[in-house]
Amino acid sequence: MSTACSILIPAHNEVGYIEPCLEALLASEWIGAAVEVIVMANGCTDRTVAVAHSFEGRFSDKGWPLMVLDLEKGGKMGALNAGDNIAQHGARVYVDADVVVSAPLLAQLVAVLDAPEPRYASGNPVVRASGSAFTRVYARFWASLPFCTHGVPGFGVFAVNSAARTRWGEFPDIISDDTFVRLSFRPEERYRVAASYDWPMIEGAGPLIRVRRRQDIGVAEVKERFPAIWANHDPVPEDAPPMWRRALRDPLGFGAFAMVALAVRMPHRAQDRWARGR
């Protein structure tokens, strides 16, 4: 295996989240090639920058140089572009700052990316909800949807090799970067490795509704602005249980899921398109 990679982590006010994210990267298994880590702190008003800097020595000891960008302007797309502009390696692994990767994930991703043809890859997402009871039942049902259980959803973590990264130039000014990148590849170009990563579900009904509304807007935005890639959606898997069967198996989870879905469609005051649940 010889694929060197750059790990890019956009971060906005992530104290309390970026620490376990970076700890997990430090615990990652040996990849067998050069690795660099870039934290793109953008518009932070907390100690995200200082916390990220505090990990530099330990990453140096691992042989993975860590660079921390302190970007005055907030915004995930600008942060991703800033990281891409200085990344040294063609293969890129994009990791949200609140994600915790399992030890074998990076090595498995890099192994899949070690190919001349364009490849997109991600792992098995484990949706975590540790706060409100509502979020726990919602997350349980959401994780059973075919989007999560089949294909390569890529939310929170996605990776591309050098050939794949030529599919787009700079990240466009959109909400849903993961949807845009995933649909830039045909289903047969997308690979799901066995290793997992933890992805936190937003806590509380109100924040869930705001974030779900933002996600829906982001997906619609990709469909409207980039119709050529829309056909790259995964087909509905034949073995996926229908919604009614999943509802019977988990009526509480379905109730929470349906409530959020209905609330998203109700009239509401305009919200910041970058609204976050925390």
Side-chain angles (χ1 to χ4, degrees):
M1 190 191 325
S2 59
T3 299
C5 73
S6 299
I7 301 171
L8 291 88
I9 309 171
H12 174 72
N13 289 346
E14 300 289 355
V15 168
Y17 293 91
I18 196 166
E19 297 93 329
C21 175
L22 295 177
E23 289 285 359
L25 291 175
L26 283 169
S28 294
E29 295 175 358
W30 184 69
I31 288 177
V35 177
E36 67 173 354
V37 181
I38 305 172
V39 174
M40 299 89 72
N42 57 96
C44 293
T45 56
D46 65 358
R47 298 186 64 255
T48 295
V49 173
V51 169
H53 275 302
S54 72
F55 281 81
E56 287 173 334
R58 294 171 63 193
F59 273 96
S60 179
D61 291 342
K62 187 177 178 68
W64 295 8
L66 169 65
M67 181 180 300
V68 182
L69 304 184
D70 187 1
L71 307 173
E72 181 177 354
K73 186 176 180 181
K76 189 176 183 181
M77 300 304 115
L80 290 170
N81 288 327
D84 269 335
N85 287 339
I86 66 167
Q88 298 292 308
H89 306 305
R92 310 285 165 87
V93 182
Y94 301 91
V95 181
D96 284 355
D98 55 2
V99 162
V100 176
V101 301
S102 63
L105 179 62
L106 293 177
Q108 291 184 17
L109 291 176
V110 170
V112 165
L113 299 180
D114 193 13
E117 69 274 7
R119 288 188 173 186
Y120 166 100
S122 187
N124 278 303
V126 178
V127 180
R128 299 294 187 189
S130 57
S132 72
F134 182 88
T135 298
R136 289 197 299 273
V137 296
Y138 177 91
R140 185 177 65 215
F141 190 85
W142 191 81
S144 75
L145 299 176
F147 170 72
C148 293
T149 59
H150 294 70
V152 192
F155 53 85
V157 176
F158 58 84
V160 294
N161 63 6
S162 297
R165 186 58 187 84
T166 64
R167 287 284 170 91
W168 75 97
E170 288 199 334
F171 280 88
D173 183 19
I174 57 176
I175 293 173
S176 189
D177 59 295
D178 54 342
T179 301
F180 169 76
V181 174
R182 176 171 53 87
L183 295 184
S184 294
F185 301 91
R186 300 185 304 276
E188 63 269 23
E189 296 177 310
R190 303 196 289 257
Y191 294 81
R192 184 169 182 158
V193 302
S196 66
Y197 62 92
D198 288 0
W199 181 85
M201 179 66 72
I202 298 300
E203 298 288 350
L208 271 172
I209 292 166
R210 290 195 297 272
V211 170
R212 172 65 185 273
R213 185 180 292 128
R214 174 180 175 271
Q215 290 170 342
D216 286 358
I217 292 170
V219 171
E221 183 181 47
V222 171
K223 183 177 182 179
E224 178 181 355
R225 291 183 55 183
F226 306 98
I229 68 174
W230 196 250
N232 289 332
H233 271 295
D234 286 303
V236 177
E238 294 182 0
D239 61 339
M243 182 68 80
W244 65 265
R245 185 172 296 167
R246 292 196 300 274
L248 289 176
R249 290 175 181 172
D250 185 5
L252 284 177
F254 174 74
F257 179 82
M259 193 205 85
V260 171
L262 288 172
V264 164
R265 289 161 176 76
M266 292 176 64
H268 61 278
R269 291 184 299 175
Q271 68 179 47
D272 184 345
R273 71 195 294 266
W274 298 105
R276 304 175 71 187
R278 55 175 173 79

